[in-house]
Amino acid sequence: MKVGFVSIFGKPNAGKSTLLNALMGEKLAIVSPKVQTTRHRIKGILTGKDHQVIFSDTPGIIEPRYKLHEKMMAAVKGSLEDADLALLMVDIRDNAEENDQLFTALHLKSPAIVVLNKTDEAGVEKTRLAVEFFASKPYARKVIVISALKKTNISLLMDEVLAVLPEGEPFFEGDDLSDLPTKFFVGEMIREKIFFLYGDEIPYQATVLVQEFKEKTTLTKIRADIIVQRESQKGIILGEGGKMIRRLGTEAREDMEKFLGRKVFLELFVKARPKWRDNELFLKEYGY
Ligand code: GDP
Ligand code: MG
């Protein structure tokens, strides 16, 4: 059996979370057009007849400005250390030199495949030049051209991944999808809606804490706090007459019902915790 850990690295917005979901055939990681959507290392366990691949989606690589960012980069480091294979992801429209510098700075110990993403947005010539550029780099065992969004060449990429991985015994039960609890994914679904529904600094200054997750006979009862940095942001989350938070609640609940396959009763509260992103105790409480 082919078994191993495969970590996905790249700049914010390269499409790492979209790729994890495409590989898994299941939405495990939240995705948004805004940068810094992913804050944790999210493992997706893909088990087949002759393989078990443990994929890690990671936060995009950035210069830390808050303690939260430091935790995010620690998640990147952890994934670097135990990877059997790295997928180095590039938005094909992005600056190739910059991506090359970043990949070189990772000092990878594992083999790597460069994954050129968003090729649905690039012409043949641009794609050819990018393939040529990365193929000559010492860290690139292979260069694969994909569209994570359109699911193009995902099975080709999977074949290349399996070709690199060693033989071994599986680490997880066959039906485990992730090492993270359902509660985590439920919180992430709320956070994703915040990225879509609110502008400016709100998505970056908000987090979600699931306080209650109870399976009842006919439904699952979920109670969560939305944490913001300032009192004034509470009103923005609520919206006029509570309009925005109702919409947030409805959309998040619909995602949860799809994920859990049963009815959900969702209750949301909004709380202000000044400077939570720089406070060790809060960060710990919120799962970072
Ligand atoms: P991450 O920050 O690297 O995890 O990137 P995401 O997976 O969150 O994706 C960032 C944005 O790029 C989202 O709006 C995605 O829908 C979009 N995206 C991801 N993959 C593709 C792709 O193959 N083609 C196009 N056109 N957009 C993509
Ligand atoms: Mg992401």
Side-chain angles (χ1 to χ4, degrees):
M1 194 161 180
K2 291 276 195 170
V3 176
F5 287 81
V6 177
S7 299
I8 310 170
F9 300 108
K11 283 176 43 174
N13 247 342
K16 299 177 291 300
S17 298
T18 308
L19 175 62
L20 177 79
N21 295 338
L23 286 161
M24 296 296 299
E26 179 104 26
K27 188 169 165 184
L28 284 185
I30 62 171
V31 170
S32 95
K34 300 195 172 97
V35 296
Q36 296 180 33
T37 310
T38 308
R39 291 181 184 158
H40 296 82
R41 171 184 188 172
I42 298 170
K43 283 188 204 143
I45 304 161
L46 190 64
T47 307
K49 252 182 35 209
D50 56 0
H51 62 265
Q52 182 170 76
V53 187
I54 303 107
F55 290 104
S56 289
D57 180 20
T58 63
I61 299 164
I62 52 168
E63 249 342 290
R65 288 175 55 207
Y66 302 97
K67 278 211 176 87
L68 172 66
H69 292 163
E70 289 169 20
K71 308 266 175 209
M72 287 159 65
M73 290 312 102
V76 174
K77 272 212 192 80
S79 311
L80 262 177
E81 273 155 23
D82 62 19
D84 295 301
L85 170 67
L87 300 181
L88 305 177
M89 202 160 190
V90 183
D91 179 337
I92 189 132
R93 302 164 305 178
D94 192 17
N95 184 307
E97 298 280 350
E98 253 178 59
N99 279 278
D100 170 48
Q101 280 162 19
L102 189 139
F103 297 151
T104 305
L106 287 176
H107 300 295
L108 287 168
K109 290 184 195 77
S110 62
I113 296 174
V114 174
V115 180
L116 297 176
N117 189 34
K118 308 199 187 183
T119 46
D120 54 297
E121 297 273 2
V124 180
E125 184 58 12
K126 191 168 178 74
T127 304
R128 192 186 63 78
L129 286 173
V131 170
E132 210 174 86
F133 176 85
F134 284 104
S136 69
K137 301 300 169 194
Y139 49 77
R141 175 172 292 221
K142 273 260 156 70
V143 180
I144 308 279
V145 163
I146 68 158
S147 165
L149 188 68
K150 305 255 188 289
K151 300 196 171 69
T152 314
N153 280 355
I154 300 300
S155 60
L156 175 80
L157 174 61
M158 192 61 200
D159 291 343
E160 295 296 340
V161 166
L162 291 178
V164 176
L165 291 185
E167 300 277 335
E169 292 297 316
F171 290 96
F172 297 92
E173 299 283 336
D175 50 4
D176 284 351
L177 272 184
S178 179
D179 61 332
L180 291 163
T182 310
K183 212 170 123 169
F184 169 81
F185 294 104
V186 162
E188 289 288 278
M189 287 170 201
I190 300 169
R191 220 162 53 74
E192 183 183 62
K193 300 306 165 203
I194 298 175
F195 267 82
F196 278 98
L197 290 177
Y198 303 96
D200 302 327
E201 76 283 9
I202 295 272
Y204 308 102
Q205 300 193 356
T207 193
V208 173
L209 182 61
V210 177
Q211 296 282 18
E212 187 186 348
F213 184 94
K214 269 209 189 102
E215 310 245 350
K216 309 258 182 179
T217 39
T218 56
L219 52 75
T220 301
K221 182 167 181 272
I222 297 166
R223 184 165 55 86
D225 291 343
I226 296 172
I227 317 283
V228 289
Q229 291 236 117
R230 283 181 274 117
E231 284 295 327
S232 60
Q233 292 173 330
K234 280 164 65 175
I236 301 175
I237 295 282
L238 295 172
E240 236 182 275
K243 210 170 109 192
M244 290 301 281
I245 198 160
R246 272 202 301 279
R247 186 165 159 205
L248 170 70
T250 305
E251 290 184 10
R253 179 178 49 77
E254 285 168 358
D255 279 9
M256 291 171 192
E257 290 180 340
K258 233 183 272 160
F259 187 74
L260 299 172
R262 65 200 310 252
K263 282 244 165 283
V264 166
F265 175 75
L266 175 64
E267 252 186 319
L268 293 175
F269 296 89
V270 190
K271 291 181 181 160
R273 294 283 179 269
K275 300 214 163 84
W276 70 264
R277 289 185 303 176
D278 261 324
N279 182 311
E280 283 289 347
L281 284 177
F282 285 144
L283 285 168
K284 196 158 182 212
E285 185 184 353
Y286 305 152
Y288 294 104

